[in-house]
Amino acid sequence: MKFLTKASWLSAGLAMSLAVTACSSGQPAAQSGDQQNGQKVKIVFARGKDVTGASQELVSAFEKTHPNIQVELREMPADSGQSHDQYVTMLSGKSSEIDVFDLDVIWPAEFAQAGYLLALDRFIEQDKIDMNQYIKGAVQAGNFEGKHWTMPKFIDAGLLFYRKDLVNHVPKTWDELISQAKTQKGQGGTQFGYLMQAKQYEGLVCNFVEFNAAYGGKILDDQGNVTINTPETIKGLKKMIEIADSNFVPKNINTFTELESHTAFIEGQSPFIRNWPYQFALANDSKQSKIVDKVGVAPLPAGDKGSAAALGGWMSGINKYSKHPKEAWEFLKFMTGPEGQKITAVKGGSAPTYLPLYDDSEVQKASPLFENKNFVDGISAAVPRPTSPNYPKISEIIQIEVSKALAKQETPEQAVLNMASKLKEAAGK
Ligand code: GLC
């Protein structure tokens, strides 16, 4: 099992051996008939709600350098599971209404198996894209049955963000976090002590994965066997309940996704929040945030076994039924290549998967995470959710049982037992 140890990927110093190469993703792909005739081709790019404005900037930058392609940005729900369901409805109906779309790191196997995606191998070869320049795990997440179905866009890991002006000692363990959250609540204009994501949705699975791994639990073993019914998982879930049921989180924490939690944080309502890297850019956006320059970032607190971050992130792919696959590829290549990922990092605060960007001074300036030489190693050691074309079912089981345990409708022991038997049934084991 992999953990972010306090080997401290956040401490400066160690040299990271990243290959520095020219920022070129190769020659442009062949032009389509429409483009050769000088006509403008319109493609639609769909992604979840973007609160940072990076997507619009990315589209404008692309259109400037590709005058024959117009990109319409279509915003999908912020909730990953809701976006998922809308894509499945669209794509299972073979709709061509979107051309390029972002996929949560947990979807590619399912979407590839369902035949919703265009395989990207011939484009990657034709444009000589060196996939070794990308974070390995992020590339692998988009591979299924030997083919590339997506390009990695950005990588996520759960982190602890804290108010530098209120917190003197960053908590190293969940118990320290709990005691600080209790005393900090109400200080410096705050109303809460801690913010997390506890609604019944995908983000709940991520929060659970972190508590589970921090206390030594494992959902599946390397062979895919269900190994969740252990005292370690029960202990992790108990810690999660202790926090979600405390009086230092909002009373309606079971309605909180990233959106509600980051809004409360940038309003100055809490000294601590668990969130993804984009939180740093958002907290420093003076148009939206009341806490500019006041935020620090650290690994999540440790349980008995260490500190664990859930691995997240987004990929982008092409709709198999797109009427403009070549133009779709041009946009996808730009968005996930050096220029596009730089905008996503600098404006959006999300961590590049294109490794040479960690040597770019503007990217380094955008977040303390990106200038840290250990960040890539740390993020690559984050705990993945199970990989399976059947992931939605796995996620649903975890969401239901964890929600019931948080709502005290069943004991943590019962919730873990139920997860084990339902997961075994779903996996056919
Ligand atoms: C972030 C992560 C994604 C995860 C989601 C849960 O967007 O990148 O992988 O599923 O949060 O809310």
Side-chain angles (χ1 to χ4, degrees):
M1 202 178 319
K2 290 171 174 165
F3 293 100
L4 290 182
T5 61
K6 70 175 213 299
S8 263
W9 46 277
L10 281 170
S11 68
L14 274 183
M16 184 167 51
S17 56
L18 297 179
V20 185
T21 52
C23 285
S24 158
S25 43
Q27 295 111 32
Q31 292 198 326
S32 74
D34 282 346
Q35 275 187 272
Q36 278 159 3
N37 296 338
Q39 280 173 14
K40 213 169 185 149
V41 173
K42 192 182 114 185
I43 57 169
V44 175
F45 163 52
R47 59 148 294 148
K49 188 174 173 59
D50 182 357
V51 290
T52 68
S55 301
Q56 196 51 60
E57 192 171 313
L58 199 145
V59 165
S60 305
F62 174 78
E63 288 179 336
K64 244 184 231 154
T65 47
H66 298 74
N68 290 326
I69 309 176
Q70 189 195 338
V71 181
E72 182 194 314
L73 184 61
R74 181 165 309 176
E75 229 172 49
M76 303 291 280
D79 177 325
S80 162
Q82 286 175 13
S83 284
H84 169 275
D85 295 351
Q86 292 191 16
Y87 288 127
V88 170
T89 305
M90 239 187 262
L91 302 175
S92 59
K94 305 195 175 168
S95 163
S96 59
E97 68 186 281
I98 58 169
D99 298 285
V100 178
F101 64 106
D102 281 2
L103 291 92
D104 197 335
V105 68
I106 49 196
W107 306 346
E110 177 201 355
F111 280 43
Q113 191 176 65
Y116 299 158
L117 294 165
L118 195 64
L120 301 178
D121 300 74
R122 72 185 162 97
F123 293 118
I124 292 172
E125 268 164 44
Q126 161 200 293
D127 282 350
K128 300 190 175 53
I129 299 200
D130 181 2
M131 298 308 287
N132 292 321
Q133 300 280 359
Y134 289 82
I135 293 181
K136 209 169 157 192
V139 174
Q140 280 166 350
N143 289 359
F144 183 69
E145 294 186 338
K147 287 191 178 153
H148 291 95
W149 299 95
T150 59
M151 289 291 290
K153 182 170 170 180
F154 64 84
I155 189 160
D156 265 344
L159 293 160
L160 181 71
F161 296 86
Y162 61 92
R163 287 278 298 277
K164 288 189 294 190
D165 55 329
L166 303 175
V167 174
N168 292 327
H169 302 287
V170 181
K172 292 255 183 317
T173 64
W174 282 113
D175 289 331
E176 279 175 35
L177 182 279
I178 291 170
S179 82
Q180 285 201 33
K182 277 183 190 155
T183 51
Q184 288 279 352
K185 181 186 159 185
Q187 309 275 322
T190 60
Q191 298 173 36
F192 313 113
Y194 183 64
L195 297 163
M196 62 191 290
Q197 297 80 41
K199 184 184 162 180
Q200 186 174 322
Y201 83 118
E202 189 56 37
L204 181 73
V205 179
C206 298
N207 281 248
F208 168 71
V209 158
E210 287 161 353
F211 282 103
N212 182 39
Y215 284 85
K218 210 168 175 187
I219 299 173
L220 305 179
D221 69 11
D222 297 340
Q223 283 74 47
N225 300 305
V226 178
T227 50
I228 200 170
N229 190 12
T230 59
E232 287 81 7
T233 294
I234 292 170
K235 192 160 181 196
L237 180 56
K238 281 185 174 163
K239 197 54 69 181
M240 185 177 184
I241 297 169
E242 185 182 338
I243 293 173
D245 193 42
S246 70
N247 64 5
F248 58 76
V249 300
K251 275 200 181 63
N252 55 344
I253 195 74
N254 65 353
T255 64
F256 271 50
T257 68
E258 287 83 1
L259 197 70
E260 291 76 20
S261 50
H262 75 221
T263 303
F265 189 63
I266 63 177
E267 289 281 322
Q269 294 175 6
S270 173
F272 296 110
I273 184 174
R274 177 261 172 229
N275 207 352
W276 309 102
Y278 79 90
Q279 177 67 78
F280 191 79
L282 190 65
N284 288 313
D285 176 355
S286 53
K287 288 199 203 84
Q288 308 186 56
S289 168
K290 296 187 179 150
I291 53 168
V292 172
D293 288 336
K294 290 184 175 158
V295 172
V297 54
L300 284 170
D304 296 346
K305 193 73 189 234
S307 160
L311 182 66
W314 289 78
M315 338 283 293
S316 289
I318 299 177
N319 175 3
K320 166 109 163 279
Y321 305 102
S322 164
K323 299 220 166 71
H324 307 289
K326 285 182 182 143
E327 289 78 11
W329 167 250
E330 284 308 309
F331 179 64
L332 177 57
K333 182 173 73 170
F334 178 88
M335 177 164 65
T336 57
E339 294 109 306
Q341 286 210 23
K342 184 165 171 175
I343 296 170
T344 303
V346 173
K347 175 92 180 165
S350 285
T353 58
Y354 185 73
L355 289 164
L357 283 179
Y358 288 93
D359 295 316
D360 181 301
S361 60
E362 283 171 72
V363 170
Q364 288 173 347
K365 255 186 256 146
S367 165
L369 296 168
F370 307 157
E371 65 175 4
N372 185 284
K373 298 292 178 208
N374 300 313
F375 178 68
V376 172
D377 287 344
I379 213 164
S380 300
V383 186
R385 283 159 279 170
T387 311
S388 161
N390 201 16
Y391 181 76
K393 184 71 202 163
I394 297 176
S395 173
E396 185 190 78
I397 293 169
I398 298 173
Q399 288 181 34
I400 290 175
E401 296 303 325
V402 171
S403 294
K404 281 189 182 165
L406 294 186
K408 303 270 172 77
Q409 287 166 10
E410 60 190 22
T411 63
E413 287 81 2
Q414 188 64 48
V416 170
L417 192 67
N418 291 351
M419 278 194 264
S421 64
K422 290 185 186 178
L423 287 172
K424 277 185 195 154
E425 204 181 305
K429 298 201 181 191

